[in-house]
Amino acid sequence: MSSLSGKSDKEISQLLDEYGIKHGPIVESTRKLYEKKLNEAMT
Amino acid sequence: TSQKHKDFVAEPMGEKSVMALAGIGEVLGRRLEEKGFERAYVVLGQFLVLRKDEELFREWLKDTCGANIKQQGD
Amino acid sequence: TSQKHKDFVAEPMGEKSVMALAGIGEVLGRRLEEKGFERAYVVLGQFLVLRKDEELFREWLKDTCGANIKQQGD
């Protein structure tokens, strides 16, 4: 699975919506949490 | 400060829209909404996370919604 | 709520340390400080940026400083 860290905030936000993961804005202090949740949802 | 800002601080921000913030009109408001900052309190959160550093916050606003100097100041 | 929390909400949080937060003791406080969350208001900012979502905030706390269920609850 392509590493999420290379994706833009917008792409991360779209992926979170695709996986139905509730979220707020993707900012520096929240990005790591959302990437982790996406990784969990993708595996 | 503008009347808009006076109105804003006159009561708890609660669930107010991001467009209730002084300096944030229709255009900037839409851009902020698209990035997940629909509510004024979320923008406040970002300001606090940036340790209330005005410089950083202005830069963030400019990067996030293209706010110009005046709008950032408001 | 704990006495610590009562004390905390009894006055404006101002520049209080992150360790003034209920549930955050020496160990968790150090970890949060190391990650830039030295002040209580920065943690508040994170809660707001997470849209005041308790579940997300609990998960973030656990990931960031290893807070257990009880500490997250506090």
Side-chain angles (χ1 to χ4, degrees), chain C residues 23-24 28 31 58 61-63 65-69 71-72:
Chain C
I24 304 295
L28 297 188
R31 289 183 197 155
R58 282 172 174 270
L61 255 188
K62 184 162 141 287
D63 295 352
C65 67
N68 64 35
I69 302 282
Q71 291 159 328
Q72 292 167 27

Side-chain angles (χ1 to χ4, degrees), chain C residues 43-60:
Chain C
V43 176
L44 169 62
Q46 183 68 2
F47 177 62
L48 295 176
V49 164
L50 291 171
R51 286 222 195 105
K52 302 192 268 193
D53 181 287
E54 183 168 336
E55 206 182 316
L56 282 176
F57 184 66
R58 282 172 174 270
E59 192 168 341
W60 172 78

Side-chain angles (χ1 to χ4, degrees), chain C:
Chain C
T1 53
S2 66
Q3 187 54 46
K4 187 175 185 186
H5 185 65
K6 286 193 186 104
D7 297 347
F8 183 77
V9 297
E11 55 189 2
M13 82 172 70
E15 296 297 312
K16 280 185 180 177
S17 153
V18 66
M19 291 184 212
L21 289 169
I24 304 295
E26 190 78 21
V27 172
L28 297 188
R30 287 269 169 274
R31 289 183 197 155
L32 283 166
E33 283 176 348
E34 277 155 25
K35 301 207 174 159
F37 294 85
E38 305 89 354
R39 300 266 182 252
Y41 73 76
V42 187
V43 176
L44 169 62
Q46 183 68 2
F47 177 62
L48 295 176
V49 164
L50 291 171
R51 286 222 195 105
K52 302 192 268 193
D53 181 287
E54 183 168 336
E55 206 182 316
L56 282 176
F57 184 66
R58 282 172 174 270
E59 192 168 341
W60 172 78
L61 255 188
K62 184 162 141 287
D63 295 352
T64 308
C65 67
N68 64 35
I69 302 282
K70 182 189 177 310
Q71 291 159 328
Q72 292 167 27
D74 292 347

Side-chain angles (χ1 to χ4, degrees), chain A residues 7-25:
Chain A
K7 291 190 181 301
S8 71
D9 291 347
K10 193 173 176 71
E11 287 167 327
I12 293 286
S13 181
Q14 284 162 350
L15 277 170
L16 286 164
D17 291 339
E18 265 171 53
Y19 280 87
I21 299 171
K22 61 181 169 177
H23 65 89

